[in-house]
């Protein structure tokens, strides 16, 4: 499961535990679709997680920058592999991110691409407005 968005507005969610996707419609609230990832899709996601050693990640937050930006991206992850659960959070609020955070962003985008091909996702309404 990954919840993501801008700053504290992490309304987007891809949740394979519940087989649901929540899309942030910005000014129009949120919309939910029931989406189940296939075994092949889950295998491809697990393969990427294994390659990046996601369960071994510890420090994905970078705190050594004087830079700050608004809006900023934030991801909150809940990952379970072989019965072991891991929670990870990262943001680019302070501009620089660790290589682990960059890998998580690439993983999230990979998963988003899979979800966005699903008919149930395509049927969700378009977002209106934007974040500043």
């Amino acid at each position: 499961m990954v919840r993501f968005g801008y700053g504290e507005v992490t309304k987007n969610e891809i949740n394979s535990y519940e087989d649901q996707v929540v899309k942030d419609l910005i000014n129009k609230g949120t919309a939910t679709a029931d989406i189940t990832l296939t075994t092949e899709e889950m295998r491809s996601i697990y393969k990427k997680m294994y390659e990046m050693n996601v369960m071994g990640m510890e420090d994905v937050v970078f705190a050594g920058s004087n830079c700050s930006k608004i809006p900023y991206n934030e991801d909150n992850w809940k990952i379970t592999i072989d019965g072991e659960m891991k929670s990870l959070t990262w943001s680019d609020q302070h501009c620089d991110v660790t290589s682990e955070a960059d890998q998580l962003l690439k993983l999230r985008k990979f998963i988003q691409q899979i979800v966005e091909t699903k008919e149930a996702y395509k049927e969700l309404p378009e977002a209106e407005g934007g974040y500043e």
Side-chain angles (χ1 to χ4, degrees):
M1 187 273 303
V2 60
R3 186 174 296 121
F4 57 98
Y6 294 104
E8 296 179 7
V9 186
T10 53
K11 294 181 186 176
N12 295 294
E13 182 176 299
I14 301 170
N15 188 330
S16 64
Y17 296 98
E18 303 289 330
D19 292 329
Q20 285 191 332
V21 172
V22 178
K23 180 179 179 182
D24 181 6
L25 303 177
I26 307 171
N27 291 339
K28 292 171 45 178
T30 60
T32 303
D34 293 329
I35 294 178
T36 302
L37 300 175
T38 66
T39 300
E40 183 178 309
E41 291 164 340
M42 289 299 292
R43 282 188 183 137
S44 67
I45 293 166
Y46 279 131
K47 181 177 185 256
K48 289 192 177 295
M49 288 180 173
Y50 177 78
E51 290 169 352
M52 60 193 273
N53 189 24
V54 73
M55 298 307 277
M57 289 184 174
E58 295 294 330
D59 183 20
V60 296
V61 178
F62 183 79
S65 175
N66 292 326
C67 173
S68 183
K69 67 180 185 176
I70 297 175
Y72 59 90
N73 294 298
E74 182 169 303
D75 282 17
N76 297 290
W77 289 82
K78 177 182 166 189
I79 300 166
T80 305
I81 297 178
D82 294 330
E84 182 182 345
M85 203 268 297
K86 180 90 167 181
S87 294
L88 297 165
T89 299
W90 73 269
S91 87
D92 63 359
Q93 179 180 10
H94 298 290
C95 303
D96 297 321
V97 296
T98 63
S99 63
E100 289 85 359
D102 187 55
Q103 289 176 34
L104 285 171
L105 175 60
K106 289 176 182 171
L107 178 63
R108 192 239 302 153
K109 288 181 177 181
F110 175 75
I111 297 168
Q112 273 182 277
Q113 289 175 340
I114 293 170
V115 167
E116 289 172 1
T117 66
K118 305 286 185 178
E119 200 57 42
Y121 185 86
K122 291 177 184 177
E123 292 173 2
L124 292 173
E126 291 297 317
E128 285 186 13
Y131 293 107
E132 294 183 18

